[in-house]
């Protein structure tokens, strides 16, 4: 039985996906793809609410994944039913991963030369037995993630180019693998890189076009020999591009994608997560109790630690409807979760009216990096998932209970 309710009446805790906002983001991405020629993929690590994949498939070229489980989800829910692309990258793949990925992926991106060496014989064999000859359009296509050692991300935990990062191949390591020979078509073709048809980098996080333009400049300086090889047919610019934000320079991105495609004769890929799901949903909670300790503290049925861990990891103070900065309005509260973790604090907010037990709170921008990171620490219930349609009715898509907690332990 389908339950439809107004958002003000759904039981909490609950995630509510806003289809109107999701469609708006997706249509901006579709427009960029059409104008630039880029293929735009959903990075499922940010948002994997596959109930909405049928709709997203109307706008996007496919999905990308951080490993086998996400790749399979993307393939089963978007790739196979809607004939969309399935891409995958992971810091390392096991031989079991590779067996499972080969039949379902269009692109596989390797994080090191050693990983590529470990898997390439199997891949050549797969290409041969599936009747797709080497040198033609091999599927899955294989690529290497490079680390340009240039990123403008300031939060260290999110910076793939930070000192000591394991993410991506350094120029230095490429040169060593090539025996420091100059990279030419000949040496490249004869080398261990036979079968590599693309390059990938991911060095952005919540950024505008300008940092991307500067990064591409660095990549063109450091990797131009590879980029210019005829065997390189695609270039993946990763995620972290805030393409759907109002102030993003989309015209700049479109002309840069066109320039790269023409200059190097490559198909350009973008794989945003955030930009697909930004501002496309909320987390609804209820006030369970109010205590005092130097200030008023409201205990909620939503938790930073369990339901929005980025609040603690980044850290940041999430937007909350009808709330203000602390002390801006007469009633200030610290909002905190119903767990034993002392630091399970969402943030301090003020309100025009006093909060009461039973009041509902709507945290904004909670579609991305939330339900994919949910956990049941302290046995906390997982929020149910609702889909809000443009007619204002929310449909219950999933609920969770004790068994979901127990089955993981
Ligand atoms: C995280 C990640 C993305 C998506 O990043 P967003 O910031 O959500 O756009 C894309 N590609 C790779 C390789 C990633 O690690």
């Amino acid at each position: 039985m389908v339950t439809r309710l107004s958002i003000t009446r759904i039981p909490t805790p609950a995630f509510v996906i806003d289809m109107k906002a999701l469609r708006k983001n997706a249509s901006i991405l579709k427009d960029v793809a059409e104008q630039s020629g880029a293929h735009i993929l959903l990075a499922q690590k940010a948002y994997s609410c596959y109930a909405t994949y049928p709709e997203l498939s109307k706008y996007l070229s496919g999905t990308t994944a951080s490993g086998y489980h996400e790749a399979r989800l993307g393939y089963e829910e978007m790739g196979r039913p809607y004939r969309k692309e399935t891409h995958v990258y992971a810091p390392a793949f096991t031989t079991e991963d590779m067996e499972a990925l080969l039949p379902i992926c269009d692109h596989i991106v390797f994080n090191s030369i050693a990983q590529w060496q470990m898997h390439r014989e199997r891949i050549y064999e797969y290409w041969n037995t599936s009747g797709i000859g080497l040198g033609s359009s091999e599927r899955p296509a294989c690529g290497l993630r490079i680390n340009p050692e240039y990123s403008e991300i300031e939060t260290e935990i999110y910076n793939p180019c930070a000192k000591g990062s394991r993410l991506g191949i350094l120029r230095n390591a490429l040169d060593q693998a090539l025996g420091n020979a100059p990279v030419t078509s000949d040496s490249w073709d004869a080398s261990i890189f036979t079968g590599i048809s693309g390059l990938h980098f991911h060095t952005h996080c919540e950024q505008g076009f300008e940092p991307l333009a500067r990064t591409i400049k660095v990549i063109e300086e450091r990797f131009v020999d590879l980029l210019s090889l005829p065997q390189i047919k695609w270039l993946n610019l990763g995620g972290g591009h805030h393409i759907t934000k109002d102030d993003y320079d989309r015209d700049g991105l479109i002309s840069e994608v066109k320039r790269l495609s023409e200059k190097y004769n490559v198909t350009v890929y973008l794989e945003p997560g955030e930009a697909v799901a930004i501002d496309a949903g909320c987390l609804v909670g209820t006030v369970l109790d109010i205590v005092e300790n130097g200030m008023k503290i409201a205990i909620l049925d939503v938790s930073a630690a369990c339901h929005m861990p980025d609040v603690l990891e980044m850290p940041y103070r999430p937007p909350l409807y009808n709330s203000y900065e602390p002390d801006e309005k007469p009633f200030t509260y610290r909002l905190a979760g119903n767990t034993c973790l002392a630091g399970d604090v969402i943030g301090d907010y003020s309100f025009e009216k006093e909060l009461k037990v039973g009041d509902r709170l709507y945290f904004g921008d909670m579609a991305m990096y939330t339900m994919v990171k949910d956990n049941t620490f302290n046995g906390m219930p997982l929020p149910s998932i609702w889909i809000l349609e443009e007619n204002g009715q929310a449909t219950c898509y999933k609920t969770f209970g004790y068994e979901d907690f127990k089955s993981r332990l």
Side-chain angles (χ1 to χ4, degrees):
M1 198 188 74
V2 186
T3 311
R4 288 200 180 82
L5 284 176
S6 132
I7 187 171
T8 55
R9 296 187 49 217
I10 65 182
T12 70
F15 285 114
V16 182
I17 300 298
D18 178 347
M19 286 310 292
K20 187 175 175 189
L22 193 67
R23 284 190 191 102
K24 183 175 167 230
N25 289 339
S27 66
I28 291 172
L29 294 170
K30 185 176 186 193
D31 188 54
V32 169
E34 282 173 355
Q35 288 195 55
S36 68
H39 291 213
I40 303 187
L41 311 167
L42 164 68
Q44 295 178 98
K45 78 160 194 245
Y47 176 84
S48 312
C49 185
Y50 60 90
T52 61
Y53 285 11
E55 192 61 21
L56 287 176
S57 71
K58 296 176 188 164
Y59 302 88
L60 301 174
S61 290
T63 60
T64 190
S66 320
Y68 169 58
H69 286 172
E70 280 187 2
R72 179 171 166 184
L73 185 72
Y75 177 69
E76 288 182 356
E77 299 297 331
M78 199 187 297
R80 189 172 49 199
Y82 301 100
R83 297 177 167 272
K84 294 288 172 174
E85 296 175 55
T86 303
H87 292 222
V88 69
Y89 155 81
F93 298 109
T94 64
T95 48
E96 292 78 17
D97 289 338
M98 201 46 57
E99 283 311 314
L101 289 169
L102 284 170
I104 65 173
C105 288
D106 296 284
H107 282 203
I108 300 179
V109 175
F110 295 92
N111 187 59
S112 72
I113 310 268
Q115 270 276 304
W116 165 238
Q117 284 177 301
M118 171 176 161
H119 295 294
R120 68 189 174 124
E121 291 304 331
R122 175 64 186 111
I123 290 165
Y124 296 157
E125 183 191 304
Y126 183 83
W127 285 340
N128 284 330
T129 54
S130 59
I132 316 165
L134 204 62
S136 60
S137 57
E138 304 99 358
R139 183 185 176 282
C142 292
L144 298 176
R145 175 167 175 173
I146 55 173
N147 176 354
E149 295 169 75
Y150 180 89
S151 173
E152 299 183 20
I153 299 174
E154 280 166 12
T155 311
E156 207 64 354
I157 188 175
Y158 298 134
N159 183 359
C161 301
K163 209 164 164 252
S165 170
R166 70 193 179 292
L167 305 170
I169 303 167
L170 300 169
R171 176 72 229 192
N172 193 2
L174 274 175
D175 288 339
Q176 273 177 17
L178 290 162
N180 291 315
V183 180
T184 64
S185 275
D186 288 348
S187 69
W188 177 263
D189 280 343
S191 78
I192 56 165
F193 300 105
T194 301
I196 292 292
S197 60
L199 297 173
H200 176 288
F201 69 91
H202 170 74
T203 59
H204 294 78
C205 179
E206 303 186 329
Q207 281 163 311
F209 170 67
E210 297 73 16
L212 174 63
R214 289 191 285 270
T215 304
I216 289 171
K217 241 181 120 197
V218 172
I219 286 172
E220 286 188 280
E221 279 163 22
R222 292 202 186 143
F223 294 91
V224 70
D225 48 350
L226 307 192
L227 263 177
S228 310
L229 290 171
Q231 80 182 67
I232 296 300
K233 305 209 173 66
W234 51 272
L235 175 65
N236 188 321
L237 313 185
H241 315 293
H242 252 174
I243 304 168
T244 48
K245 280 265 189 182
D246 287 343
D247 59 355
Y248 191 95
D249 177 7
R250 292 190 276 271
D251 290 336
L253 176 65
I254 290 164
S255 61
E256 185 66 354
V257 167
K258 281 184 172 161
R259 185 188 69 82
L260 286 169
S261 312
E262 279 159 28
K263 182 160 183 198
Y264 300 106
N265 199 18
V266 289
T267 302
V268 172
Y269 287 83
L270 291 158
E271 45 182 35
E274 248 194 75
V276 177
I278 197 163
D279 278 329
C282 62
L283 175 58
V284 193
T286 299
V287 177
L288 302 178
D289 193 17
I290 294 169
V291 296
E292 269 199 70
N293 183 354
M295 67 187 302
K296 291 199 162 169
I297 304 148
I299 298 168
L300 312 181
D301 62 355
V302 294
S303 152
C306 298
H307 307 144
M308 37 185 151
D310 278 4
V311 165
L312 304 180
E313 185 179 294
M314 183 88 175
Y316 79 105
R317 177 180 169 276
L320 172 64
Y321 293 107
N322 293 321
S323 82
Y324 301 85
E325 291 298 317
D327 299 322
E328 195 181 333
K329 296 289 171 184
F331 303 98
T332 293
Y333 296 83
R334 173 158 297 171
L335 304 182
N338 194 18
T339 67
C340 69
L341 176 72
D344 189 358
V345 170
I346 300 159
D348 295 350
Y349 300 82
S350 74
F351 301 87
E352 275 168 340
K353 282 194 228 152
E354 219 174 331
L355 280 189
K356 290 195 182 60
V357 170
D359 281 355
R360 294 160 71 89
L361 297 172
Y362 299 84
F363 292 94
D365 196 15
M366 283 291 160
M368 55 170 201
Y369 291 106
T370 49
M371 66 178 86
V372 291
K373 287 189 155 194
D374 265 358
N375 65 77
T376 57
F377 179 53
N378 277 220
M380 279 288 284
L382 296 169
S384 54
I385 299 173
W386 293 67
I387 311 253
L388 178 66
E389 273 305 341
E390 305 204 14
N391 64 11
Q393 291 289 298
T395 304
C396 185
Y397 170 62
K398 256 187 191 173
T399 57
F400 303 95
Y402 171 69
E403 284 307 325
D404 298 288
F405 162 65
K406 187 181 177 190
S407 66
R408 296 168 26 153
L409 301 170

